[in-house]
Amino acid sequence: MGERVSDGRTTVERTSDRELVVTRIFNGPVRMVFDAWTKAELFQLWWAPKSSGVPMLSCEMDVRTGGGYRVVFGKDADNSMAFYGKYLEVTPPSRLVWTNDEGEEGAVTTVTFENEGDDRTLLVLQELYPSKEALDESFVGMEDAMPEQFAQLDDLLATLGAR
């Protein structure tokens, strides 16, 4: 389809007018990578790109099918922005599907975790947007943010004992 960027480890690619796919192999077992996505105390350590200078103020996760999440970023409570949605599918440790409900142009995100052998995990993140325009707006931010976020996740996995 179209635009594709890669930093050598993370690939961010538009696969259609409305779909974005991000892939990366992590040095860590599937269960450990899945936990980093589903335990709020771990998620808070890597999700916000440090270069943005906007810290995560809070993270609430009820990771079960039908559960929800709410993540708040900002300098303080008066200058913050919340992202929230519902988990449509939770299949530990291989698959997560959630909505992004903060606006009408929010995507549905699907993340899969596959064993690549030797304690490595192939992560595939797919986002399906309601319109081409919504993906156009998100793609610019994703191509910079996702590689940085995933590098931060790599650092966290190393501290958790992954090689």
Side-chain angles (χ1 to χ4, degrees):
M1 154 87 227
E3 301 164 72
R4 181 175 194 227
V5 295
S6 175
D7 69 350
R9 298 219 39 219
T10 302
T11 300
V12 181
E13 181 175 19
R14 288 181 75 141
T15 58
S16 75
D17 282 347
R18 298 177 38 226
E19 187 173 33
L20 174 76
V21 176
V22 182
T23 58
R24 183 171 178 130
I25 293 177
F26 289 95
N27 293 323
V30 167
R31 186 72 207 176
M32 186 181 289
V33 179
F34 185 84
D35 285 352
W37 283 76
T38 57
K39 293 183 175 179
E41 67 275 15
L42 297 177
F43 190 78
Q44 290 180 35
L45 297 174
W46 68 271
W47 184 254
K50 290 180 181 165
S51 69
S52 73
V54 181
M56 185 182 298
L57 299 176
S58 66
C59 176
E60 300 168 16
M61 302 172 118
D62 178 12
V63 185
R64 60 181 173 82
T65 300
Y69 69 91
R70 181 177 174 81
V71 180
V72 179
F73 296 92
K75 304 238 182 237
D76 54 50
D78 292 333
N79 300 297
S80 64
M81 182 163 59
F83 295 89
Y84 53 92
K86 298 178 194 108
Y87 291 101
L88 302 177
E89 181 183 342
V90 177
T91 307
S94 60
R95 184 175 165 93
L96 295 169
V97 182
W98 68 83
T99 63
N100 297 276
D101 296 337
E102 57 277 351
E104 292 180 12
E105 297 293 318
V108 172
T109 303
T110 301
V111 180
T112 59
F113 307 81
E114 298 176 33
N115 183 351
E116 281 291 297
D118 202 24
D119 283 340
R120 295 173 6 129
T121 300
L122 169 63
L123 183 131
V124 178
L125 180 148
Q126 297 172 291
E127 293 206 314
L128 181 60
Y129 289 83
S131 69
K132 176 185 179 304
E133 293 74 22
L135 176 54
D136 288 347
E137 186 172 321
S138 273
F139 188 75
V140 174
M142 290 283 251
E143 65 189 33
D144 294 327
M146 292 306 284
E148 182 178 356
Q149 289 172 290
F150 285 179
Q152 292 173 179
L153 176 54
D154 258 338
D155 292 344
L156 174 64
L157 294 170
T159 66
L160 295 175
R163 29 177 208 107

